[in-house]
Amino acid sequence: MAKDGQFFKGAGELNAHDVPAKALWFQCFWACILCISGRYGDLLTYATFASLLFYMLTIGGIFILRKREPDAERPYKAFGYPVIPVLYIIVTTAICVALLVYDTLNTGLGLAIVALGIPVYYLTLKKDQTLQ
């Protein structure tokens, strides 16, 4: 993303060993902050909720791509399409709702962390780059 101008430029710089060291150090720093900010269960709730949101978006993308590009080559078939993907989205939605109801604070913090990515994305877009 950094090389495409959609994230902080420094995050995409590679060191002498072809490793994005600055990005890894930032990730380390962020992980340390999260680790000292709460209990393990709290962190698990943040991560679970965020992961499930992105899994649902990914599975939903299957339906969007099949509608937009019905004739595209599909080297990998989605198992049980469309029933299994729909069931997956329903079950993960139920889990997310349960997390929101029963652990609102930690789930809300996880959602806030994910939502923080939206302004960061727009702040780091190149000025000459348009959204597609």
Side-chain angles (χ1 to χ4, degrees), residues 60-132:
I62 294 171
F63 295 100
I64 293 169
L65 287 174
R66 289 200 179 196
K67 183 166 179 90
R68 285 188 187 165
E69 301 176 26
D71 299 326
E73 181 182 340
R74 308 213 188 281
Y76 177 80
K77 304 289 183 195
F79 176 74
Y81 180 83
V83 175
I84 301 294
V86 167
L87 283 174
Y88 182 85
I89 290 173
I90 291 169
V91 170
T92 52
T93 301
I95 293 169
C96 285
V97 169
L99 285 171
L100 279 168
V101 170
Y102 294 108
D103 197 357
T104 307
L105 176 64
N106 290 316
T107 305
L109 288 172
L111 185 57
I113 290 169
V114 170
L116 189 63
I118 296 169
V120 169
Y121 173 78
Y122 284 107
L123 287 171
T124 58
L125 270 179
K126 288 182 180 175
K127 291 185 182 189
D128 61 339
Q129 190 172 8
T130 58
L131 295 177
Q132 299 171 356

